[in-house]
Amino acid sequence: MALSAPGLDPCSFRGLFFFQLLLLLLSPTTTMGSGPGPMPRVKYYAGDGRRALSFFHQAGLQDFDTLLLSGDGNTLYVGAREAILALNIQDPGVPRLKNMISWPASDRKKSECALKKKSNETQCFNFIRVLVSFNETHLYACGTFAFSPACTFIGLQDSHLLPILEDKVIEGKGQSPFDPAHKHTAVLVDGMLYSGTMNNFLGSEPILMRTLGSQPVLKTDTFLRWLHPDASFVAAIPSTQVVYFFFEETASEFDFFERLHTSRVARVCKNDVGGEKLLQKKWTTFLKAQLLCAQEGQLPFNVIRHAVLLPAEAPSVPRVYAVFTSQWQVGGTRSSAVCAFSLTDIERVFKGKYKELNKETSRWTTYRGRETDPRPGSCSVGPSSDKALTFMKDHFLMDEQVVGAPLLVKSGVEYTRLAVETAQGLDGQSHLVLYLGTSTGSLHKAVMSGSRSAYLVEEIQIFPDPEPVHNLQLAPAQGAIFAGFSGGVWKVPRANCSVYESCVDCVLARDPHCAWDLESRTCRLLSNPNLRIWKQDMERGNPEWACAPGPMGRSHRPQSRPQLIKEVLVVPNSILELPCPHMSALASYRWSHGKAAIPETSSAVYNGSLLLLPHDGVGGLYQCVATENGFSYPVVSYWVDSQDQPLAMDPELAGIPRERVEVPLTRVGGAAIAAQRSYWPHFLVVTVLLALVLSGALIILLASPLGALRARGKVQGCGSLPPGEKAPLSREQHQQPPKEHRTSASDVDVDNNHLGTEVA
Ligand SMILES: *[C@@H]1O[C@H](CO)[C@@H](O)[C@H](O)[C@H]1NC(C)=O
Ligand SMILES: *[C@@H]1O[C@H](CO)[C@@H](O)[C@H](O)[C@H]1NC(C)=O
Ligand SMILES: *[C@@H]1O[C@H](CO)[C@@H](O)[C@H](O)[C@H]1NC(C)=O
Ligand SMILES: *[C@@H]1O[C@H](CO)[C@@H](O)[C@H](O)[C@H]1NC(C)=O
């Protein structure tokens, strides 16, 4: 405490007093974790210039719900509300409109829809739900058409859309949902559309259907109850012989006191033509099984939200990647998981035992009886195999579950959508990259290296306002991913390697798309792997190894010397604020003062910045040191000097470029403190604390009559609060939501951040 700050008058001990309070309250800096699971290493808020996204929108249009990439990858077709657009995405930058066609629901359907008590403002429109490439010259599209689904072919000319002829619009029941809020899925295979959706106005009759093409139209039989009335389809994935459907429904095979959701995979054979006598125009090869995505010791992630197939080159097996959330909330937040299912596992379960319903006990048990030949539900069942068809009417649920491998489990986040690709790293290894859309409109880029669990390279808030990500479309040729939402379409480049300014940062990021170019000394997008002079370490993320200069094996700490020293001049009566950008959420940051620790009595760390109270011997080197993945490096280095007594620069620092910088100051002077507006947060903390401490002290001191005298003397001695400070304080109290109860010290920091953005 023994400080002799030059130029501080006697009453300025209060500056020091505040300072100690700051120190008490603010250190250690509180970090807001978003719960267990990997943290995104870097987080970008909407509009962050470091992750500039291109945005397409069109006046008068909304709900850009459906995306389709053209075969050549240069056109993005977009299904919006009552319109379909063709966007040119060939050129870098903002997607350009090629042309658009309107496809509104008819006035008659709109008025009928309004009569049925649906909103003519939000629901009675044609929301495009299906958009597939039918052949070289035609797209096929379906929409909700004001709660009366309709479909049509759309001609293409030079990847421009030709207008829709009204007489070419056909009924689309079973292909598009009635209600835009209902889930659906559709995939075109061999000229036939396999769709899973709700088949009625009320949304109580799910259906799996095959239409188009030369084969007969096939449906699930509602009466047989192969699907629970609330079945909700999220994906359809074709394989060689079968088409898989992924959905969620209430499980009837478990005795449970509450409505238990379960995730399913169902499959139908492509060669199914329906039964001859039995099951006419109905699927004869429908089977379903439970999908399990769980982590040991946790409630299962039982609600599937989306699934995609990543085709694999032989010899590895193609895998389906799916995002799940849980029906249950723990601590008010939902958790999500990504699980991988191998197609071999799925096939094996469909070849296994069946479950059957015991009609007397209403319980599902394993079927242990004889199996007929051909095996019921298999693709070799013919239309006249009556025995097999009779059997499969009641034996459509498989006994075994398909168990997935959890690749990523994250609480506090609800993943709604995913896209998957592989990226080849410098080492020639293939790395799995998952783009995960959340319920609040952000995108997580997750990477799997080897067999370890996934890590999150970054989180980008794409949508300006929170809104679930409903679609993601990768465009590999453009190196970008597209996401449509209520207001338009965002184009998100796979990576912006330039944000990693040093080799250390570039390597620590472990982004398979980025590598450090030793020649240009920049972190660059990896376009042509095998570049010897580029550096990357996907396996370990170890910059010590990857960024070492010269021949490998020289144990040289690459970045322990700062690259640049920022020179700062001490200003009397002012608290110096030395900022330190916290780029990585995975790093821990600390400040060092030359070889010693920072002087604790005259400094504090607030929001990552080092606050320094000037005093004798304050000068010297201050470094903000990050430690990540076991590697420490200086993020920023300051040389603090005073005009009166310039300090000789450490000879060890010779040769390092220097730059004179201005840092934020908080003035401490006279009987009052003049805080600059942007330093309200610090200032307010001080004020709140002072009020707290003074009232606390008052209570204690007033308890003893002797102390009361002394207390009065002290409080009067160094003045009361300046009047200007009261307004923001009372405003803060006003703004607090009444329900929230803030008690812990760390909350003050949060409050302050909030208030800081309000005031500044
Ligand atoms: C990439 O990051 C750099 C450095 O932060 C920034 O200047 C640039 O605008 C960014 N580019 C994009 C496309 O986000
Ligand atoms: C919806 O219906 C109401 C009352 O029938 C009408 O006033 C309103 O203009 C309609 N809105 C639209 C967008 O058609
Ligand atoms: C594509 O499909 C449409 C609609 O069935 C048909 O009219 C057209 O002739 C087909 N074009 C080709 C090239 O097969
Ligand atoms: C915390 O520091 C960052 C930069 O380091 C700055 O952008 C932000 O405004 C600071 N927040 C407060 C409340 O001072």
Side-chain angles (χ1 to χ4, degrees):
M1 279 290 262
L3 282 174
S4 59
L8 287 186
D9 68 52
C11 232
S12 72
F13 76 87
R14 213 178 66 184
L16 190 59
F17 175 56
F18 289 154
F19 205 78
Q20 294 300 314
L21 288 180
L22 256 178
L23 200 144
L24 258 178
L25 190 83
L26 300 177
S27 58
T29 37
T30 48
T31 47
M32 289 283 294
S34 58
M39 287 276 285
R41 185 173 182 272
V42 188
K43 208 165 162 171
Y44 303 99
Y45 294 96
D48 193 319
R50 293 175 297 165
R51 210 65 172 83
L53 315 178
S54 324
F55 178 52
F56 171 86
H57 69 117
Q58 181 75 17
L61 285 193
Q62 62 186 79
D63 301 317
F64 297 74
D65 290 335
T66 317
L67 304 179
L68 170 70
L69 195 63
S70 67
D72 62 6
N74 292 331
T75 306
L76 184 71
Y77 298 108
V78 183
R81 201 175 90 173
E82 314 229 288
I84 297 165
L85 301 82
L87 304 183
N88 181 350
I89 56 165
Q90 205 170 353
D91 312 318
V94 182
R96 276 188 304 110
L97 181 68
K98 270 187 173 163
N99 84 316
M100 59 178 267
I101 54 171
S102 72
W103 186 22
S106 63
D107 290 341
R108 189 168 61 86
K109 292 292 181 194
K110 281 187 179 174
S111 59
E112 279 172 20
C113 175
L115 278 178
K116 289 178 194 159
K117 299 253 154 53
K118 298 294 174 185
S119 161
N120 68 345
E121 311 257 321
T122 57
Q123 294 176 302
C124 296
F125 295 99
N126 189 21
F127 294 89
I128 309 302
R129 285 294 173 263
V130 175
L131 195 58
V132 291
S133 279
F134 184 69
N135 59 23
E136 259 133 64
T137 57
H138 284 79
L139 301 182
Y140 184 71
C142 303
T144 60
F145 216 74
F147 277 76
S148 174
C151 296
T152 188
F153 287 99
I154 299 170
L156 291 177
Q157 204 160 49
D158 210 10
S159 54
H160 281 66
L161 304 155
L162 299 178
I164 292 169
L165 304 171
E166 218 162 283
D167 58 338
K168 289 272 157 52
V169 174
I170 51 174
E171 206 228 49
K173 229 173 127 214
Q175 300 178 57
S176 162
F178 286 64
D179 188 332
H182 279 147
K183 298 252 175 71
H184 77 288
T185 185
V187 66
L188 192 91
V189 187
D190 307 332
M192 289 176 277
L193 188 81
Y194 291 78
S195 54
T197 188
M198 280 296 175
N199 196 32
N200 64 351
F201 181 86
L202 292 174
S204 57
E205 189 195 311
I207 189 172
L208 280 191
M209 187 161 147
R210 185 181 72 194
T211 45
L212 305 183
S214 50
Q215 301 263 54
V217 169
L218 292 183
K219 299 174 181 180
T220 41
D221 190 324
T222 320
F223 180 73
L224 293 173
R225 293 183 60 99
W226 288 345
L227 299 165
H228 194 274
D230 62 4
S232 166
F233 296 91
V234 298
I237 294 174
S239 180
T240 26
Q241 290 203 342
V242 300
V243 175
Y244 293 108
F245 284 94
F246 292 81
F247 63 104
E248 171 240 320
E249 63 178 358
T250 295
S252 48
E253 71 263 37
F254 307 110
D255 296 315
F256 213 69
F257 55 89
E258 70 169 309
R259 211 180 86 118
L260 180 69
H261 294 257
T262 192
S263 297
R264 303 267 194 218
V265 53
R267 53 126 259 216
V268 290
C269 294
K270 289 184 190 170
N271 67 354
D272 199 334
V273 290
E276 238 159 49
K277 277 180 264 156
L278 296 167
L279 294 173
Q280 282 177 5
K281 296 182 181 163
K282 300 279 151 53
W283 293 108
T284 62
T285 57
F286 173 93
L287 291 175
K288 70 177 182 182
Q290 191 194 347
L291 278 178
L292 190 68
C293 177
Q295 202 178 39
E296 225 173 294
Q298 281 193 18
L299 288 167
F301 296 93
N302 59 334
V303 180
I304 190 169
R305 304 296 286 267
H306 189 218
V308 290
L309 176 77
L310 185 70
E313 294 118 45
S316 59
V317 189
R319 302 218 286 175
V320 171
Y321 295 89
V323 277
F324 292 81
T325 52
S326 178
Q327 162 180 12
W328 304 280
Q329 290 190 14
V330 179
T333 61
R334 279 192 206 283
S335 324
S336 296
V338 182
C339 271
F341 301 88
S342 88
L343 278 193
T344 327
D345 280 350
I346 298 177
E347 280 163 20
R348 186 175 45 77
V349 168
F350 283 118
K351 284 185 184 140
K353 290 192 160 59
Y354 307 94
K355 266 196 193 325
E356 73 176 346
L357 183 66
N358 183 323
K359 299 235 161 74
E360 280 149 35
T361 61
S362 299
R363 274 169 192 263
W364 287 86
T365 51
T366 310
Y367 171 74
R368 299 194 186 278
R370 231 166 43 85
E371 266 174 34
T372 56
D373 185 43
R375 187 182 147 86
S378 72
C379 295
S380 48
V381 165
S384 54
S385 324
D386 288 354
K387 241 192 209 158
L389 299 193
T390 313
F391 182 85
M392 68 89 54
K393 279 186 181 177
D394 312 308
H395 300 84
F396 50 86
L397 178 62
M398 305 318 294
D399 190 47
E400 220 188 303
Q401 306 161 327
V402 186
V403 181
L407 310 179
L408 173 72
V409 172
K410 179 133 180 71
S411 67
V413 163
E414 218 179 304
Y415 290 135
T416 54
R417 200 83 187 174
L418 86 164
V420 180
E421 65 176 354
T422 53
Q424 206 187 1
L426 261 189
D427 53 3
Q429 300 275 329
S430 179
H431 304 280
L432 181 72
V433 183
L434 302 146
Y435 302 91
L436 304 159
T438 75
S439 59
T440 52
S442 60
L443 190 71
H444 286 184
K445 181 177 182 178
V447 176
M448 284 270 299
S449 261
S451 54
R452 280 178 296 169
S453 63
Y455 55 91
L456 298 178
V457 171
E458 59 185 2
E459 169 180 324
I460 310 163
Q461 178 67 38
I462 326 178
F463 304 157
D465 298 312
E467 163 180 342
V469 175
H470 285 309
N471 55 61
L472 288 174
Q473 177 64 57
L474 265 169
Q478 277 70 36
I481 186 159
F482 290 87
F485 77 118
S486 62
V489 178
W490 286 98
K491 176 182 169 185
V492 184
R494 271 190 191 127
N496 179 12
C497 302
S498 316
V499 298
Y500 309 118
E501 288 175 1
S502 63
C503 179
V504 171
D505 210 18
C506 189
V507 168
L508 282 172
R510 285 206 286 157
D511 186 329
H513 295 125
C514 298
W516 183 256
D517 177 358
L518 279 178
E519 223 163 56
S520 69
R521 301 190 58 75
T522 49
C523 192
R524 293 173 64 180
L525 203 62
L526 203 55
S527 48
N528 178 18
N530 307 321
L531 291 160
R532 296 250 145 174
I533 48 159
W534 287 29
K535 298 289 178 187
Q536 192 187 49
D537 182 10
M538 287 300 294
E539 194 54 44
R540 288 161 298 172
N542 183 355
E544 198 156 356
W545 174 80
C547 299
M552 237 143 54
R554 252 172 70 185
S555 67
H556 197 280
R557 294 186 67 83
Q559 299 277 327
S560 51
R561 263 166 78 86
Q563 287 181 309
L564 175 80
I565 296 178
K566 299 186 175 185
E567 278 187 81
V568 178
L569 219 56
V570 170
V571 179
N573 300 340
S574 297
I575 296 173
L576 282 181
E577 183 176 338
L578 307 180
C580 173
H582 286 195
M583 171 87 166
S584 167
L586 307 184
S588 61
Y589 292 84
R590 67 185 163 81
W591 282 90
S592 75
H593 178 33
K595 294 204 167 57
I598 51 163
E600 283 194 5
T601 45
S602 58
S603 68
V605 178
Y606 171 69
N607 186 26
S609 297
L610 181 69
L611 308 181
L612 266 185
L613 192 69
H615 64 94
D616 281 348
V618 75
L621 182 70
Y622 290 85
Q623 289 186 300
C624 176
V625 180
T627 304
E628 183 174 354
N629 200 14
F631 181 78
S632 297
Y633 64 102
V635 179
V636 57
S637 307
Y638 294 97
W639 183 263
V640 173
D641 210 351
S642 72
Q643 236 151 3
D644 317 335
Q645 310 149 289
L647 215 71
M649 186 66 98
D650 191 330
E652 270 188 34
L653 303 175
I656 299 170
R658 291 191 231 162
E659 182 187 57
R660 168 66 51 92
V661 294
E662 300 274 325
V663 296
L665 297 171
T666 304
R667 298 199 68 82
V668 187
I673 289 177
Q676 290 165 24
R677 263 185 88 73
S678 50
Y679 302 102
W680 270 119
H682 313 162
F683 191 50
L684 283 170
V685 171
V686 168
T687 316
V688 171
L689 268 173
L690 183 73
L692 277 176
V693 169
L694 289 186
S695 55
L698 217 73
I699 289 166
I700 293 166
L701 292 174
L702 285 177
S704 80
L706 235 170
L709 266 168
R710 278 169 50 193
R712 206 173 298 140
K714 255 214 173 120
V715 172
Q716 285 168 355
C718 238
S720 53
L721 289 171
E725 293 166 28
K726 287 201 171 115
L729 253 184
S730 56
R731 193 168 143 218
E732 182 193 9
Q733 280 152 2
H734 217 75
Q735 281 172 346
Q736 280 192 12
K739 263 185 257 156
E740 277 180 45
H741 219 81
R742 298 172 191 273
T743 42
S744 79
S746 63
D747 279 342
V748 179
D749 193 68
V750 177
D751 264 351
N752 248 293
N753 277 328
H754 166 71
L755 203 71
T757 51
E758 283 278 320
V759 175

